[in-house]
């Protein structure tokens, strides 16, 4: 689990706040991912980055804005969220787009 | 399009008895298949993967899965359940063959309960 770290682990924010989630991978991987895990629903892929370029935006609302400054770091900037955005946000990384993905522990987000 | 179906949303076994978690897949390509486990309030941990080598795949913590193309199945097994195996298990297929984006398709998950 320490190969991919996420901060913060828990976040409570109001609908007018702006916050950011951070993910860091220590595995030397070239691809990174954001997933959303809501209760009673399958994991939803949000964004994919390969070699710091975004290769997938899975119809995610613009209130979620990803940033990948280098191959080890991935951010998810949040603004004007809705209560239905409350979920566990998981980051993952893989050697390349074909490889198995390794997940971080997640950030539990609550929007009030 | 790729998809996975986990046939049981909840499985309950006694400690020391075998575990069987069922998964069927649909894929237009030779699939890459995975099983992940998620313990409460934790991220997902890779248990094992199939990538067109041996059809019987051994993973961590004594888990195995067998790829059966004729049945389009990838069931997860363990000979003897341990209390620490209680968790949520996800069967996953890679969509790389069609999308080239590393997208994973997750099943709905199976909750494994282990009774003492």
């Amino acid at each position: 689990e320490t190969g991919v770290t996420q901060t913060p682990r828990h976040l409570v924010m109001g609908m007018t706040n702006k916050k950011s989630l951070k993910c860091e991978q220590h595995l030397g991987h070239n691809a990174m991912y954001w997933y959303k895990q809501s209760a009673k629903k399958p994991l939803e892929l949000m964004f994919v980055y390969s070699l710091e370029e975004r290769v997938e935006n899975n119809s995610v609302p613009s209130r979620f804005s990803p940033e990948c400054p280098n191959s080890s770091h991935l951010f998810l900037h949040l603004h004007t969220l809705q209560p239905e955005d409350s979920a566990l946000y998981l980051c993952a990384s893989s050697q390349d787009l074909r490889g198995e993905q390794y997940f971080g522990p997640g950030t539990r987000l609550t929007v009030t | 399009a790729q998809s996975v179906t986990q046939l049981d949303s909840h499985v309950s076994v006694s400690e020391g008895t075998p575990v069987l978690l069922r998964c069927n897949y649909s894929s237009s390509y030779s699939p890459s298949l995975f099983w992940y486990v998620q313990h409460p309030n934790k991220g997902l941990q890779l248990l094992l993967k199939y990538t067109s080598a041996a059809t019987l795949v051994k993973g961590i913590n004594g888990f195995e899965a067998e790829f059966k193309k004729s049945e389009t199945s990838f069931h997860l097994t363990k000979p003897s359940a341990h209390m620490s195996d209680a968790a949520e298990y996800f069967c996953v297929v890679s969509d790389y063959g069609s999308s080239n984006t590393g997208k994973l398709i997750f099943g709905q998950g199976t909750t494994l309960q282990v009774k003492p």
Side-chain angles (χ1 to χ4, degrees):
Chain A
E1 281 193 29
T2 56
V4 181
T5 58
Q6 291 186 243
T7 55
R9 294 294 308 275
H10 300 271
L11 177 62
V12 179
M13 59 185 289
M15 289 190 285
T16 58
N17 291 161
K18 289 184 180 182
K19 296 287 185 182
S20 296
L21 310 184
K22 178 183 176 182
C23 175
E24 183 174 0
Q25 59 95 1
H26 312 273
L27 301 170
H29 289 168
N30 292 313
M32 296 188 77
Y33 312 77
W34 279 117
Y35 289 87
K36 177 183 179 182
Q37 186 176 31
S38 305
K40 309 298 183 185
K41 293 175 67 176
L43 265 77
E44 303 170 61
L45 178 67
M46 300 175 73
F47 301 104
V48 181
Y49 277 82
S50 177
L51 297 172
E52 299 143 50
E53 286 193 21
R54 192 190 308 180
V55 297
E56 175 82 0
N57 178 350
N58 204 28
S59 302
V60 179
S62 60
R63 58 186 183 269
F64 295 91
S65 175
E67 178 190 1
C68 187
N70 55 61
S71 60
S72 298
H73 293 86
L74 185 65
F75 294 88
L76 188 62
H77 304 299
L78 316 171
H79 66 95
T80 324
L81 293 192
Q82 305 298 312
E84 59 265 30
D85 296 322
S86 298
L88 182 67
Y89 288 85
L90 291 163
C91 173
S93 71
S94 60
Q95 182 61 50
D96 51 44
L97 294 176
R98 299 180 68 101
E100 62 271 21
Q101 296 177 24
Y102 293 86
F103 286 78
T107 294
R108 174 69 62 186
L109 174 66
T110 303
V111 181
T112 61
Chain B
Q2 276 60 249
S3 67
V4 288
T5 302
Q6 292 183 242
L7 301 173
D8 306 291
S9 60
H10 189 270
V11 170
S12 180
V13 301
S14 297
E15 190 176 20
T17 64
V19 175
L20 170 63
L21 305 183
R22 299 181 296 163
C23 173
N24 286 349
Y25 71 91
S26 173
S27 176
S28 305
Y29 300 84
S30 180
S32 293
L33 293 160
F34 310 86
W35 276 98
Y36 282 86
V37 61
Q38 186 176 30
H39 288 89
N41 301 313
K42 296 290 182 72
L44 279 77
Q45 182 182 19
L46 179 66
L47 277 179
L48 49 80
K49 63 177 180 179
Y50 167 78
T51 54
S52 75
T55 56
L56 182 62
V57 182
K58 293 186 183 298
I60 62 171
N61 301 334
F63 284 95
E64 293 183 347
E66 186 171 9
F67 174 74
K68 291 187 176 180
K69 185 175 181 179
S70 61
E71 299 176 10
T72 61
S73 69
F74 190 58
H75 301 335
L76 182 70
T77 61
K78 182 173 180 177
S80 176
H82 191 272
M83 295 298 293
S84 61
D85 294 327
E88 186 87 6
Y89 290 79
F90 295 94
C91 183
V92 181
V93 64
S94 171
D95 196 44
Y96 183 81
S98 62
S99 68
N100 293 330
T101 61
K103 181 176 182 178
L104 296 180
I105 310 298
F106 283 78
Q108 295 273 16
T110 298
T111 301
L112 176 63
Q113 179 187 23
V114 182
K115 296 178 289 186

